[in-house]
Amino acid sequence: ACYRKPVPPRVGGAQTTIAVAHCSRVWAQVEPMTITLTAACLRELLHYDPDLGWFMWLRSRGGRTHPGAVAGRLDGSTGYIRIGVNGKSYYAHRLAVLYQLGQWPAEEVDHLKGLKSDNRWSELAQKSHAENSKNHTQPRRDNKLGVLGVFRVPGGRFVAQIQRDGRSQHLGRFDSAEAAHEAYLRARAAGERA
């Protein structure tokens, strides 16, 4: 069975380790709290439909779910689907990569059309943080102006800036947030063409 069994810790050298029998495969000893979900274990518990982007339970989980039930819940604070497996919560888009490719994503998983709850395989791609950040079409929640790439400085003027290669590039000071945002959009478009 693919679930965590309580195993008493045993002392091994200077550190205490936990022997873990997880899934039907036996895992090597790992440090406490570093149990990593494998693709084999995931496939024993869940089925991923790449056309729909849904995970479905393959077996009952102690009366809480039944085989065939859609797994996961929408995390209202982030917009992503989260699935609880063995007492740990995972993002469904990261589980999709693990399920399909057999290994955890090495980079960020991008939702190509920007819909965070759409986990269809055709809508997911592994990208670097810089590439993934280019897709932002909405400002962060803490952005008081409500526009990308612009902030207000003392004196009432607005500054436009853009991130390139992990560094902030100053685009200028403007009298209005709209003018600053236009400068940001022009710089963004120029960067995408380059």
Side-chain angles (χ1 to χ4, degrees):
C2 190
Y3 56 89
R4 185 179 303 179
K5 292 181 181 179
V7 178
R10 71 179 182 189
V11 178
Q15 298 179 347
T16 302
T17 58
I18 297 176
V20 178
H22 209 68
C23 303
S24 58
R25 289 124 182 106
V26 177
W27 286 18
Q29 294 179 0
V30 294
E31 294 303 315
M33 304 307 292
T34 60
I35 298 169
T36 303
L37 181 65
T38 65
C41 184
L42 178 65
R43 291 179 188 126
E44 284 184 27
L45 288 172
L46 294 162
H47 169 72
Y48 171 65
D49 184 324
D51 296 325
L52 297 175
W54 295 348
F55 280 91
M56 288 154 277
W57 292 107
L58 293 175
R59 56 181 63 178
S60 177
R61 294 180 58 220
R64 294 180 297 183
T65 61
H66 60 277
V70 175
R73 63 175 175 74
L74 181 65
D75 184 335
S77 65
T78 64
Y80 293 109
I81 303 293
R82 294 188 70 94
I83 300 174
V85 178
N86 296 329
K88 185 171 179 185
S89 182
Y90 297 94
Y91 287 116
H93 56 279
R94 294 185 63 77
L95 289 179
V97 172
L98 176 63
Y99 192 97
Q100 292 290 95
L101 302 180
Q103 61 188 18
W104 285 100
E107 298 182 294
E108 292 184 5
V109 179
D110 181 25
H111 291 82
L112 297 175
K113 292 187 179 172
L115 183 58
K116 296 177 180 180
S117 61
D118 185 357
N119 294 308
R120 292 176 293 158
W121 187 244
S122 61
E123 297 300 318
L124 302 176
Q126 291 187 67
K127 293 190 177 179
S128 70
H129 178 70
E131 291 172 322
N132 197 12
S133 295
K134 290 179 182 176
N135 293 346
H136 291 189
T137 58
Q138 300 292 319
R140 291 176 17 169
R141 267 180 236 191
D142 62 353
N143 183 319
K144 294 177 183 166
L145 294 174
V147 292
L148 286 170
V150 179
F151 63 93
R152 183 178 231 145
V153 293
R157 297 201 68 196
F158 299 88
V159 172
Q161 70 180 20
I162 194 165
Q163 293 284 331
R164 291 227 171 95
D165 300 322
R167 303 178 98 170
S168 292
Q169 180 181 352
H170 179 80
L171 301 174
R173 291 178 181 251
F174 302 87
D175 293 327
S176 71
E178 293 79 20
H181 185 61
E182 284 297 319
Y184 167 80
L185 292 176
R186 283 193 303 275
R188 183 173 169 170
E192 290 173 359
R193 287 191 300 265

